[in-house]
Amino acid sequence: MALSNVVETPASGFNFENVSRNVALEGLLEGGHTKAPKPMKTGTTIAGVVCKDGVVLGADTRATSGEVVADKMCAKIHYISPNMYCCGAGTAADTEKTTDLLSSNLTIFSMNSGRNPRVVMAVNILQDMLFRYRGQIGASLILGGVDCTGNHLYTVGPYGSIDNVPYLAMGSGDLAALGILEDRFKPNMELEEAKELVRDAIHSGIMSDLGSGNNIDICVITKQGVDYIRPYQESEYKDKRQRRYKYRPGTTSILTEKIVPLELEVVQETVQRMDTA
Amino acid sequence: MFAQVYGDNGKMKEYHYSGPVEHRFSPYSFNGGTVLAVAGEDFAIVASDTRLSEGYSIHSRDSPKCYKLTNTTVIGCSGFHGDCLTLTKIIDARLKMYKHSNNKSMTSGAIAAMLSTILYGRRFFPYYVYNIIGGLDEEGKGAVYSFDPVGSYQRDTYKAGGSASAMLQPLLDNQIGFKNMEGVQHLPLNQEKAVQLVKDVFISAAERDVYTGDALRICIVTKEGIKEETVPLRKD
């Protein structure tokens, strides 16, 4: 006999019960001139290039929520496995959770089979999941990695489409970045040249696209290992405010004060020296 | 596939299938930009950024939004650029007509009243413009008049309008109006401190608002005339 407190496994896919509630709320909110909260999108420029020794991935660091910059230093290059990293554009929560899920799955696979995962496997898992959700997960991903079969760069779209290409850009600044990549990409480039190319592509996205900005992150994946340079280049625009805007204590008036003494007895005391060298 | 990513006005579309969609032509478009005006004892400052944008793209990095009307008045207009241009042309023409009929320049207060009637004349197909007039009144004191798109206006000491107005207005309320502060001396604002404050406030707005940036154009109105200053801002 089933116990009454056993949790039911939820039905697969999305639960759309709240859609009608949201529509009703939106109607009420619009009448009161307030808007429903917008999900944070990464409105981004991400790019990837395959070079002679490995794969170079790059991304900007601005996350926008509508027209406001929500995060000036957000990390868009996500860890998948020791030999694979993934850049994500689209809805921030979707890219983070999807790449996290992929990373966990691949770790379990590595432990089960004793092998490093291949890039094609990661791509197939991503494609399978995004297609199953019919585009409701708004994540455009660039997956790059080095495995026993070589250096690979793939893109996975939100509806589940994939593409295997030597150079790539995604996000709202993709057209600007692609212009630079189309102009200067050559097959089998040297590592330093590839890093400069990706940096220039992201920089062009940052300048031309309002959804991208701030700093540039670069991730270099080679057979020897991974070099995650964050930030590769800091934005040259530092805020140079002329006056200092500090407030004296007491500027905010205290209306009431209530002090609750906490009676504690010392049970154990340990001293740890800080290394202030 | 990528052509479907961008909707009508260049913004990225939401990723879900919503059934057949009827596309309607919208006569308006939002070109971004922030305007700010501060009135002092014997001066007025009107400042605006110079970025003209649409969707996620930049049309121009050098399109200031303050326009000189007379020797004692400057207007800042942000919103839909097409309407800003037409509105300033209409105001210029009306100023000329007034000068020819009355043999004197319009005062700031008169320009404000006239603009209110011009805007309300288009009550049912409004000019999509957020206006702020800054200048000197008849006594030589600083005056700021702020408008909504259909002509409602009032005289203020300071006002921010445009895309970053919601971020700037509380900061001005605190620094110029001394709101939400206790035990602080209410020092009157002098011209140098006001200009520094305006520059700092725009630097902050450019950090967090994507539509504000590139450069800042400051017009300082005193009885000697109108002085212009340009300061660079974030370009990303």
Side-chain angles (χ1 to χ4, degrees), chain A residues 67 69-70 72 135 206-207 209-210 214 241-243 245 247-248 251, chain B residues 15 56 61 174-175 182-183 196 200 204 207-210 234-236:
Chain A
E67 62 182 42
V69 175
K72 295 194 267 193
I206 283 175
M207 297 305 276
D209 176 43
L210 296 178
N214 297 94
R241 277 174 263 258
Q242 296 177 332
R243 282 172 59 196
Y245 297 92
Y247 298 101
R248 266 185 327 101
T251 304
Chain B
Y15 288 111
Y56 273 130
R61 295 195 197 269
N174 177 263
Q175 293 292 316
E182 289 275 319
Q196 267 180 358
D200 287 350
S204 302
E207 289 280 320
R208 289 288 177 176
D209 181 32
V210 302
R234 287 187 84 106
K235 292 187 166 49
D236 61 2

PDB file of all heavy atoms in Angstrom, chain A residues 67 69-70 72 135 206-207 209-210 214 241-243 245 247-248 251, chain B residues 15 56 61 174-175 182-183 196 200 204 207-210 234-236:
ATOM      1  N   GLU A  67      16.701  47.050 -20.087  1.00  0.00           N
ATOM      2  CA  GLU A  67      17.683  48.015 -20.551  1.00  0.00           C
ATOM      3  C   GLU A  67      18.693  48.343 -19.462  1.00  0.00           C
ATOM      4  O   GLU A  67      19.560  49.177 -19.639  1.00  0.00           O
ATOM      5  CB  GLU A  67      16.992  49.302 -20.974  1.00  0.00           C
ATOM      6  CG  GLU A  67      16.260  49.948 -19.824  1.00  0.00           C
ATOM      7  CD  GLU A  67      15.518  51.207 -20.250  1.00  0.00           C
ATOM      8  OE1 GLU A  67      14.897  51.184 -21.325  1.00  0.00           O
ATOM      9  OE2 GLU A  67      15.586  52.177 -19.504  1.00  0.00           O
ATOM     10  N   VAL A  69      21.798  47.328 -16.834  1.00  0.00           N
ATOM     11  CA  VAL A  69      22.874  46.369 -16.670  1.00  0.00           C
ATOM     12  C   VAL A  69      22.726  45.727 -15.294  1.00  0.00           C
ATOM     13  O   VAL A  69      22.829  46.398 -14.272  1.00  0.00           O
ATOM     14  CB  VAL A  69      24.240  47.073 -16.772  1.00  0.00           C
ATOM     15  CG1 VAL A  69      25.354  46.113 -16.477  1.00  0.00           C
ATOM     16  CG2 VAL A  69      24.401  47.673 -18.146  1.00  0.00           C
ATOM     17  N   ALA A  70      22.456  44.422 -15.261  1.00  0.00           N
ATOM     18  CA  ALA A  70      22.255  43.757 -13.972  1.00  0.00           C
ATOM     19  C   ALA A  70      23.584  43.332 -13.359  1.00  0.00           C
ATOM     20  O   ALA A  70      23.763  43.404 -12.157  1.00  0.00           O
ATOM     21  CB  ALA A  70      21.361  42.537 -14.147  1.00  0.00           C
ATOM     22  N   LYS A  72      27.910  43.554 -14.026  1.00  0.00           N
ATOM     23  CA  LYS A  72      28.975  44.074 -14.883  1.00  0.00           C
ATOM     24  C   LYS A  72      30.110  43.077 -15.049  1.00  0.00           C
ATOM     25  O   LYS A  72      30.999  43.282 -15.856  1.00  0.00           O
ATOM     26  CB  LYS A  72      29.540  45.367 -14.281  1.00  0.00           C
ATOM     27  CG  LYS A  72      28.520  46.485 -14.245  1.00  0.00           C
ATOM     28  CD  LYS A  72      29.166  47.816 -13.987  1.00  0.00           C
ATOM     29  CE  LYS A  72      29.174  48.120 -12.512  1.00  0.00           C
ATOM     30  NZ  LYS A  72      29.518  49.532 -12.254  1.00  0.00           N
ATOM     31  N   GLY A 135      12.509  24.674 -27.380  1.00  0.00           N
ATOM     32  CA  GLY A 135      12.864  26.082 -27.434  1.00  0.00           C
ATOM     33  C   GLY A 135      12.428  26.896 -26.227  1.00  0.00           C
ATOM     34  O   GLY A 135      12.704  28.089 -26.155  1.00  0.00           O
ATOM     35  N   ILE A 206      31.375  44.317 -28.245  1.00  0.00           N
ATOM     36  CA  ILE A 206      31.178  45.200 -27.091  1.00  0.00           C
ATOM     37  C   ILE A 206      30.918  46.625 -27.554  1.00  0.00           C
ATOM     38  O   ILE A 206      30.039  47.319 -27.026  1.00  0.00           O
ATOM     39  CB  ILE A 206      32.418  45.140 -26.173  1.00  0.00           C
ATOM     40  CG1 ILE A 206      32.398  43.854 -25.368  1.00  0.00           C
ATOM     41  CG2 ILE A 206      32.489  46.337 -25.257  1.00  0.00           C
ATOM     42  CD1 ILE A 206      33.610  43.641 -24.522  1.00  0.00           C
ATOM     43  N   MET A 207      31.663  47.102 -28.572  1.00  0.00           N
ATOM     44  CA  MET A 207      31.503  48.484 -29.005  1.00  0.00           C
ATOM     45  C   MET A 207      30.236  48.678 -29.822  1.00  0.00           C
ATOM     46  O   MET A 207      29.598  49.722 -29.736  1.00  0.00           O
ATOM     47  CB  MET A 207      32.712  48.920 -29.848  1.00  0.00           C
ATOM     48  CG  MET A 207      34.021  48.911 -29.096  1.00  0.00           C
ATOM     49  SD  MET A 207      33.953  49.884 -27.608  1.00  0.00           S
ATOM     50  CE  MET A 207      34.274  51.476 -28.264  1.00  0.00           C
ATOM     51  N   ASP A 209      27.389  46.652 -29.950  1.00  0.00           N
ATOM     52  CA  ASP A 209      26.132  46.119 -29.436  1.00  0.00           C
ATOM     53  C   ASP A 209      25.875  46.659 -28.037  1.00  0.00           C
ATOM     54  O   ASP A 209      26.765  46.656 -27.195  1.00  0.00           O
ATOM     55  CB  ASP A 209      26.217  44.587 -29.413  1.00  0.00           C
ATOM     56  CG  ASP A 209      24.984  43.967 -28.809  1.00  0.00           C
ATOM     57  OD1 ASP A 209      23.881  44.438 -29.141  1.00  0.00           O
ATOM     58  OD2 ASP A 209      25.120  43.035 -28.012  1.00  0.00           O
ATOM     59  N   LEU A 210      24.655  47.141 -27.788  1.00  0.00           N
ATOM     60  CA  LEU A 210      24.356  47.708 -26.484  1.00  0.00           C
ATOM     61  C   LEU A 210      24.178  46.634 -25.414  1.00  0.00           C
ATOM     62  O   LEU A 210      24.304  46.900 -24.229  1.00  0.00           O
ATOM     63  CB  LEU A 210      23.077  48.557 -26.555  1.00  0.00           C
ATOM     64  CG  LEU A 210      23.165  49.780 -27.442  1.00  0.00           C
ATOM     65  CD1 LEU A 210      21.839  50.494 -27.458  1.00  0.00           C
ATOM     66  CD2 LEU A 210      24.241  50.717 -26.952  1.00  0.00           C
ATOM     67  N   ASN A 214      31.627  45.918 -20.956  1.00  0.00           N
ATOM     68  CA  ASN A 214      32.534  45.709 -19.831  1.00  0.00           C
ATOM     69  C   ASN A 214      33.761  44.907 -20.251  1.00  0.00           C
ATOM     70  O   ASN A 214      34.406  45.240 -21.225  1.00  0.00           O
ATOM     71  CB  ASN A 214      31.793  45.095 -18.645  1.00  0.00           C
ATOM     72  CG  ASN A 214      30.720  46.019 -18.126  1.00  0.00           C
ATOM     73  OD1 ASN A 214      29.567  45.922 -18.523  1.00  0.00           O
ATOM     74  ND2 ASN A 214      31.081  46.970 -17.297  1.00  0.00           N
ATOM     75  N   ARG A 241      34.830  59.353 -11.125  1.00  0.00           N
ATOM     76  CA  ARG A 241      33.983  60.370 -10.506  1.00  0.00           C
ATOM     77  C   ARG A 241      34.850  61.384  -9.792  1.00  0.00           C
ATOM     78  O   ARG A 241      35.863  61.042  -9.197  1.00  0.00           O
ATOM     79  CB  ARG A 241      32.999  59.705  -9.545  1.00  0.00           C
ATOM     80  CG  ARG A 241      31.792  59.168 -10.274  1.00  0.00           C
ATOM     81  CD  ARG A 241      30.927  58.389  -9.324  1.00  0.00           C
ATOM     82  NE  ARG A 241      31.222  56.985  -9.439  1.00  0.00           N
ATOM     83  CZ  ARG A 241      30.469  56.108 -10.101  1.00  0.00           C
ATOM     84  NH1 ARG A 241      29.396  56.504 -10.717  1.00  0.00           N
ATOM     85  NH2 ARG A 241      30.798  54.848 -10.159  1.00  0.00           N
ATOM     86  N   GLN A 242      34.404  62.666  -9.831  1.00  0.00           N
ATOM     87  CA  GLN A 242      35.255  63.713  -9.275  1.00  0.00           C
ATOM     88  C   GLN A 242      35.027  63.906  -7.788  1.00  0.00           C
ATOM     89  O   GLN A 242      35.955  64.185  -7.054  1.00  0.00           O
ATOM     90  CB  GLN A 242      34.985  65.026 -10.010  1.00  0.00           C
ATOM     91  CG  GLN A 242      35.379  64.920 -11.472  1.00  0.00           C
ATOM     92  CD  GLN A 242      35.049  66.177 -12.217  1.00  0.00           C
ATOM     93  OE1 GLN A 242      34.128  66.897 -11.868  1.00  0.00           O
ATOM     94  NE2 GLN A 242      35.805  66.460 -13.235  1.00  0.00           N
ATOM     95  N   ARG A 243      33.789  63.824  -7.351  1.00  0.00           N
ATOM     96  CA  ARG A 243      33.508  64.048  -5.931  1.00  0.00           C
ATOM     97  C   ARG A 243      33.342  62.719  -5.228  1.00  0.00           C
ATOM     98  O   ARG A 243      33.072  61.710  -5.847  1.00  0.00           O
ATOM     99  CB  ARG A 243      32.221  64.865  -5.783  1.00  0.00           C
ATOM    100  CG  ARG A 243      32.396  66.337  -6.050  1.00  0.00           C
ATOM    101  CD  ARG A 243      31.061  67.036  -6.066  1.00  0.00           C
ATOM    102  NE  ARG A 243      30.353  66.887  -4.808  1.00  0.00           N
ATOM    103  CZ  ARG A 243      29.064  67.132  -4.668  1.00  0.00           C
ATOM    104  NH1 ARG A 243      28.341  67.505  -5.691  1.00  0.00           N
ATOM    105  NH2 ARG A 243      28.459  66.989  -3.501  1.00  0.00           N
ATOM    106  N   TYR A 245      31.178  60.539  -2.565  1.00  0.00           N
ATOM    107  CA  TYR A 245      29.805  60.552  -2.056  1.00  0.00           C
ATOM    108  C   TYR A 245      29.716  59.631  -0.863  1.00  0.00           C
ATOM    109  O   TYR A 245      29.219  58.522  -0.946  1.00  0.00           O
ATOM    110  CB  TYR A 245      28.842  60.112  -3.173  1.00  0.00           C
ATOM    111  CG  TYR A 245      28.863  61.059  -4.338  1.00  0.00           C
ATOM    112  CD1 TYR A 245      29.720  60.856  -5.411  1.00  0.00           C
ATOM    113  CD2 TYR A 245      28.044  62.182  -4.351  1.00  0.00           C
ATOM    114  CE1 TYR A 245      29.760  61.736  -6.461  1.00  0.00           C
ATOM    115  CE2 TYR A 245      28.079  63.064  -5.406  1.00  0.00           C
ATOM    116  CZ  TYR A 245      28.942  62.836  -6.456  1.00  0.00           C
ATOM    117  OH  TYR A 245      28.965  63.706  -7.507  1.00  0.00           O
ATOM    118  N   TYR A 247      28.610  59.163   3.286  1.00  0.00           N
ATOM    119  CA  TYR A 247      27.653  59.705   4.261  1.00  0.00           C
ATOM    120  C   TYR A 247      28.180  59.475   5.667  1.00  0.00           C
ATOM    121  O   TYR A 247      28.653  58.394   5.998  1.00  0.00           O
ATOM    122  CB  TYR A 247      26.299  59.019   4.109  1.00  0.00           C
ATOM    123  CG  TYR A 247      25.688  59.247   2.758  1.00  0.00           C
ATOM    124  CD1 TYR A 247      25.749  58.271   1.772  1.00  0.00           C
ATOM    125  CD2 TYR A 247      25.058  60.449   2.457  1.00  0.00           C
ATOM    126  CE1 TYR A 247      25.200  58.483   0.540  1.00  0.00           C
ATOM    127  CE2 TYR A 247      24.504  60.666   1.219  1.00  0.00           C
ATOM    128  CZ  TYR A 247      24.577  59.682   0.268  1.00  0.00           C
ATOM    129  OH  TYR A 247      24.021  59.893  -0.954  1.00  0.00           O
ATOM    130  N   ARG A 248      28.103  60.539   6.498  1.00  0.00           N
ATOM    131  CA  ARG A 248      28.537  60.411   7.896  1.00  0.00           C
ATOM    132  C   ARG A 248      27.610  59.450   8.626  1.00  0.00           C
ATOM    133  O   ARG A 248      26.413  59.393   8.300  1.00  0.00           O
ATOM    134  CB  ARG A 248      28.410  61.774   8.586  1.00  0.00           C
ATOM    135  CG  ARG A 248      29.634  62.637   8.613  1.00  0.00           C
ATOM    136  CD  ARG A 248      29.374  63.888   9.440  1.00  0.00           C
ATOM    137  NE  ARG A 248      28.006  64.367   9.377  1.00  0.00           N
ATOM    138  CZ  ARG A 248      27.080  64.164  10.314  1.00  0.00           C
ATOM    139  NH1 ARG A 248      27.368  63.466  11.380  1.00  0.00           N
ATOM    140  NH2 ARG A 248      25.869  64.641  10.162  1.00  0.00           N
ATOM    141  N   THR A 251      23.488  60.025   9.321  1.00  0.00           N
ATOM    142  CA  THR A 251      22.758  60.695   8.255  1.00  0.00           C
ATOM    143  C   THR A 251      21.350  60.113   8.130  1.00  0.00           C
ATOM    144  O   THR A 251      20.393  60.826   7.848  1.00  0.00           O
ATOM    145  CB  THR A 251      23.502  60.514   6.921  1.00  0.00           C
ATOM    146  OG1 THR A 251      24.823  60.987   7.089  1.00  0.00           O
ATOM    147  CG2 THR A 251      22.827  61.297   5.836  1.00  0.00           C
TER     148      THR A 251
ATOM    149  N   TYR B  15      11.888  33.365 -26.933  1.00  0.00           N
ATOM    150  CA  TYR B  15      11.976  32.072 -27.606  1.00  0.00           C
ATOM    151  C   TYR B  15      10.798  31.195 -27.262  1.00  0.00           C
ATOM    152  O   TYR B  15      10.875  30.297 -26.449  1.00  0.00           O
ATOM    153  CB  TYR B  15      13.260  31.344 -27.192  1.00  0.00           C
ATOM    154  CG  TYR B  15      14.492  31.957 -27.779  1.00  0.00           C
ATOM    155  CD1 TYR B  15      15.412  32.620 -26.980  1.00  0.00           C
ATOM    156  CD2 TYR B  15      14.747  31.864 -29.130  1.00  0.00           C
ATOM    157  CE1 TYR B  15      16.543  33.175 -27.523  1.00  0.00           C
ATOM    158  CE2 TYR B  15      15.876  32.418 -29.677  1.00  0.00           C
ATOM    159  CZ  TYR B  15      16.768  33.075 -28.874  1.00  0.00           C
ATOM    160  OH  TYR B  15      17.898  33.616 -29.411  1.00  0.00           O
ATOM    161  N   TYR B  56      19.221  47.181 -30.106  1.00  0.00           N
ATOM    162  CA  TYR B  56      20.527  46.965 -29.510  1.00  0.00           C
ATOM    163  C   TYR B  56      21.644  47.626 -30.315  1.00  0.00           C
ATOM    164  O   TYR B  56      22.815  47.442 -29.998  1.00  0.00           O
ATOM    165  CB  TYR B  56      20.826  45.463 -29.392  1.00  0.00           C
ATOM    166  CG  TYR B  56      20.306  44.829 -28.127  1.00  0.00           C
ATOM    167  CD1 TYR B  56      19.554  43.663 -28.158  1.00  0.00           C
ATOM    168  CD2 TYR B  56      20.587  45.387 -26.881  1.00  0.00           C
ATOM    169  CE1 TYR B  56      19.090  43.072 -26.998  1.00  0.00           C
ATOM    170  CE2 TYR B  56      20.127  44.806 -25.720  1.00  0.00           C
ATOM    171  CZ  TYR B  56      19.378  43.649 -25.790  1.00  0.00           C
ATOM    172  OH  TYR B  56      18.919  43.065 -24.632  1.00  0.00           O
ATOM    173  N   ARG B  61      27.190  58.104 -32.349  1.00  0.00           N
ATOM    174  CA  ARG B  61      27.778  58.382 -31.038  1.00  0.00           C
ATOM    175  C   ARG B  61      27.854  59.887 -30.771  1.00  0.00           C
ATOM    176  O   ARG B  61      28.287  60.313 -29.716  1.00  0.00           O
ATOM    177  CB  ARG B  61      29.195  57.797 -30.954  1.00  0.00           C
ATOM    178  CG  ARG B  61      29.242  56.289 -31.030  1.00  0.00           C
ATOM    179  CD  ARG B  61      30.589  55.791 -30.577  1.00  0.00           C
ATOM    180  NE  ARG B  61      30.852  54.431 -30.988  1.00  0.00           N
ATOM    181  CZ  ARG B  61      30.559  53.350 -30.267  1.00  0.00           C
ATOM    182  NH1 ARG B  61      29.981  53.487 -29.103  1.00  0.00           N
ATOM    183  NH2 ARG B  61      30.841  52.148 -30.698  1.00  0.00           N
ATOM    184  N   ASN B 174      18.638  63.415  -3.571  1.00  0.00           N
ATOM    185  CA  ASN B 174      19.476  63.319  -2.387  1.00  0.00           C
ATOM    186  C   ASN B 174      20.563  64.381  -2.362  1.00  0.00           C
ATOM    187  O   ASN B 174      20.775  65.051  -1.355  1.00  0.00           O
ATOM    188  CB  ASN B 174      20.103  61.919  -2.337  1.00  0.00           C
ATOM    189  CG  ASN B 174      21.045  61.749  -1.177  1.00  0.00           C
ATOM    190  OD1 ASN B 174      22.243  61.885  -1.323  1.00  0.00           O
ATOM    191  ND2 ASN B 174      20.493  61.481  -0.005  1.00  0.00           N
ATOM    192  N   GLN B 175      21.249  64.603  -3.510  1.00  0.00           N
ATOM    193  CA  GLN B 175      22.412  65.485  -3.496  1.00  0.00           C
ATOM    194  C   GLN B 175      22.052  66.964  -3.610  1.00  0.00           C
ATOM    195  O   GLN B 175      22.737  67.808  -3.064  1.00  0.00           O
ATOM    196  CB  GLN B 175      23.364  65.110  -4.638  1.00  0.00           C
ATOM    197  CG  GLN B 175      24.006  63.749  -4.450  1.00  0.00           C
ATOM    198  CD  GLN B 175      24.986  63.736  -3.281  1.00  0.00           C
ATOM    199  OE1 GLN B 175      25.776  64.647  -3.124  1.00  0.00           O
ATOM    200  NE2 GLN B 175      24.904  62.729  -2.457  1.00  0.00           N
ATOM    201  N   GLU B 182      19.779  63.364   7.365  1.00  0.00           N
ATOM    202  CA  GLU B 182      19.604  64.120   8.606  1.00  0.00           C
ATOM    203  C   GLU B 182      20.890  64.803   8.966  1.00  0.00           C
ATOM    204  O   GLU B 182      21.967  64.259   8.736  1.00  0.00           O
ATOM    205  CB  GLU B 182      19.254  63.159   9.744  1.00  0.00           C
ATOM    206  CG  GLU B 182      17.878  62.574   9.657  1.00  0.00           C
ATOM    207  CD  GLU B 182      16.840  63.479  10.280  1.00  0.00           C
ATOM    208  OE1 GLU B 182      17.146  64.052  11.349  1.00  0.00           O
ATOM    209  OE2 GLU B 182      15.763  63.618   9.696  1.00  0.00           O
ATOM    210  N   GLY B 183      20.794  65.971   9.571  1.00  0.00           N
ATOM    211  CA  GLY B 183      21.986  66.608  10.134  1.00  0.00           C
ATOM    212  C   GLY B 183      22.998  67.029   9.097  1.00  0.00           C
ATOM    213  O   GLY B 183      24.196  67.037   9.357  1.00  0.00           O
ATOM    214  N   GLN B 196      30.274  69.508 -11.605  1.00  0.00           N
ATOM    215  CA  GLN B 196      30.929  68.253 -11.176  1.00  0.00           C
ATOM    216  C   GLN B 196      29.896  67.169 -10.896  1.00  0.00           C
ATOM    217  O   GLN B 196      30.050  66.013 -11.283  1.00  0.00           O
ATOM    218  CB  GLN B 196      31.700  68.499  -9.882  1.00  0.00           C
ATOM    219  CG  GLN B 196      33.124  68.846 -10.086  1.00  0.00           C
ATOM    220  CD  GLN B 196      33.824  69.064  -8.758  1.00  0.00           C
ATOM    221  OE1 GLN B 196      33.207  68.979  -7.690  1.00  0.00           O
ATOM    222  NE2 GLN B 196      35.084  69.327  -8.820  1.00  0.00           N
ATOM    223  N   ASP B 200      29.465  63.493 -12.695  1.00  0.00           N
ATOM    224  CA  ASP B 200      29.505  62.235 -11.932  1.00  0.00           C
ATOM    225  C   ASP B 200      28.238  61.429 -12.127  1.00  0.00           C
ATOM    226  O   ASP B 200      28.271  60.198 -12.265  1.00  0.00           O
ATOM    227  CB  ASP B 200      29.681  62.540 -10.440  1.00  0.00           C
ATOM    228  CG  ASP B 200      31.081  63.004 -10.121  1.00  0.00           C
ATOM    229  OD1 ASP B 200      31.944  62.898 -11.004  1.00  0.00           O
ATOM    230  OD2 ASP B 200      31.301  63.487  -8.998  1.00  0.00           O
ATOM    231  N   SER B 204      27.765  57.582 -13.705  1.00  0.00           N
ATOM    232  CA  SER B 204      27.039  56.479 -13.060  1.00  0.00           C
ATOM    233  C   SER B 204      25.938  55.935 -13.957  1.00  0.00           C
ATOM    234  O   SER B 204      25.749  54.723 -14.044  1.00  0.00           O
ATOM    235  CB  SER B 204      26.403  56.947 -11.756  1.00  0.00           C
ATOM    236  OG  SER B 204      27.372  57.440 -10.890  1.00  0.00           O
ATOM    237  N   GLU B 207      27.170  53.592 -16.586  1.00  0.00           N
ATOM    238  CA  GLU B 207      27.561  52.259 -16.102  1.00  0.00           C
ATOM    239  C   GLU B 207      26.409  51.275 -16.191  1.00  0.00           C
ATOM    240  O   GLU B 207      26.591  50.112 -16.514  1.00  0.00           O
ATOM    241  CB  GLU B 207      27.991  52.338 -14.620  1.00  0.00           C
ATOM    242  CG  GLU B 207      29.290  53.018 -14.363  1.00  0.00           C
ATOM    243  CD  GLU B 207      30.482  52.136 -14.615  1.00  0.00           C
ATOM    244  OE1 GLU B 207      30.439  50.953 -14.271  1.00  0.00           O
ATOM    245  OE2 GLU B 207      31.454  52.651 -15.180  1.00  0.00           O
ATOM    246  N   ARG B 208      25.186  51.754 -15.830  1.00  0.00           N
ATOM    247  CA  ARG B 208      24.084  50.802 -15.660  1.00  0.00           C
ATOM    248  C   ARG B 208      22.983  50.878 -16.700  1.00  0.00           C
ATOM    249  O   ARG B 208      22.150  49.985 -16.774  1.00  0.00           O
ATOM    250  CB  ARG B 208      23.454  51.005 -14.272  1.00  0.00           C
ATOM    251  CG  ARG B 208      24.329  50.536 -13.147  1.00  0.00           C
ATOM    252  CD  ARG B 208      24.403  49.035 -13.085  1.00  0.00           C
ATOM    253  NE  ARG B 208      25.286  48.560 -12.059  1.00  0.00           N
ATOM    254  CZ  ARG B 208      25.471  47.279 -11.741  1.00  0.00           C
ATOM    255  NH1 ARG B 208      24.816  46.367 -12.384  1.00  0.00           N
ATOM    256  NH2 ARG B 208      26.313  46.940 -10.795  1.00  0.00           N
ATOM    257  N   ASP B 209      22.934  51.939 -17.509  1.00  0.00           N
ATOM    258  CA  ASP B 209      21.889  52.021 -18.524  1.00  0.00           C
ATOM    259  C   ASP B 209      22.535  51.797 -19.875  1.00  0.00           C
ATOM    260  O   ASP B 209      23.503  52.477 -20.222  1.00  0.00           O
ATOM    261  CB  ASP B 209      21.218  53.405 -18.470  1.00  0.00           C
ATOM    262  CG  ASP B 209      20.114  53.532 -19.495  1.00  0.00           C
ATOM    263  OD1 ASP B 209      19.460  52.519 -19.800  1.00  0.00           O
ATOM    264  OD2 ASP B 209      19.891  54.645 -19.992  1.00  0.00           O
ATOM    265  N   VAL B 210      22.011  50.844 -20.667  1.00  0.00           N
ATOM    266  CA  VAL B 210      22.683  50.556 -21.937  1.00  0.00           C
ATOM    267  C   VAL B 210      22.475  51.666 -22.952  1.00  0.00           C
ATOM    268  O   VAL B 210      23.291  51.848 -23.853  1.00  0.00           O
ATOM    269  CB  VAL B 210      22.210  49.210 -22.546  1.00  0.00           C
ATOM    270  CG1 VAL B 210      22.453  48.084 -21.591  1.00  0.00           C
ATOM    271  CG2 VAL B 210      20.774  49.248 -22.947  1.00  0.00           C
ATOM    272  N   ARG B 234      31.505  56.210 -21.251  1.00  0.00           N
ATOM    273  CA  ARG B 234      31.708  54.837 -21.720  1.00  0.00           C
ATOM    274  C   ARG B 234      31.155  54.634 -23.126  1.00  0.00           C
ATOM    275  O   ARG B 234      30.056  55.072 -23.404  1.00  0.00           O
ATOM    276  CB  ARG B 234      30.930  53.867 -20.833  1.00  0.00           C
ATOM    277  CG  ARG B 234      31.472  53.645 -19.498  1.00  0.00           C
ATOM    278  CD  ARG B 234      30.678  52.539 -18.846  1.00  0.00           C
ATOM    279  NE  ARG B 234      31.202  51.261 -19.255  1.00  0.00           N
ATOM    280  CZ  ARG B 234      31.936  50.479 -18.466  1.00  0.00           C
ATOM    281  NH1 ARG B 234      32.225  50.861 -17.257  1.00  0.00           N
ATOM    282  NH2 ARG B 234      32.372  49.326 -18.894  1.00  0.00           N
ATOM    283  N   LYS B 235      31.906  53.935 -23.960  1.00  0.00           N
ATOM    284  CA  LYS B 235      31.421  53.704 -25.318  1.00  0.00           C
ATOM    285  C   LYS B 235      30.883  52.286 -25.522  1.00  0.00           C
ATOM    286  O   LYS B 235      30.474  51.940 -26.617  1.00  0.00           O
ATOM    287  CB  LYS B 235      32.550  53.932 -26.327  1.00  0.00           C
ATOM    288  CG  LYS B 235      32.977  55.373 -26.422  1.00  0.00           C
ATOM    289  CD  LYS B 235      33.963  55.551 -27.550  1.00  0.00           C
ATOM    290  CE  LYS B 235      34.165  57.005 -27.898  1.00  0.00           C
ATOM    291  NZ  LYS B 235      34.433  57.863 -26.745  1.00  0.00           N
ATOM    292  N   ASP B 236      30.907  51.456 -24.458  1.00  0.00           N
ATOM    293  CA  ASP B 236      30.493  50.062 -24.711  1.00  0.00           C
ATOM    294  C   ASP B 236      29.025  49.832 -24.364  1.00  0.00           C
ATOM    295  O   ASP B 236      28.325  50.754 -24.059  1.00  0.00           O
ATOM    296  CB  ASP B 236      31.404  49.100 -23.940  1.00  0.00           C
ATOM    297  CG  ASP B 236      31.338  49.298 -22.440  1.00  0.00           C
ATOM    298  OD1 ASP B 236      30.552  50.156 -21.976  1.00  0.00           O
ATOM    299  OD2 ASP B 236      32.061  48.603 -21.719  1.00  0.00           O
TER     300      ASP B 236
END
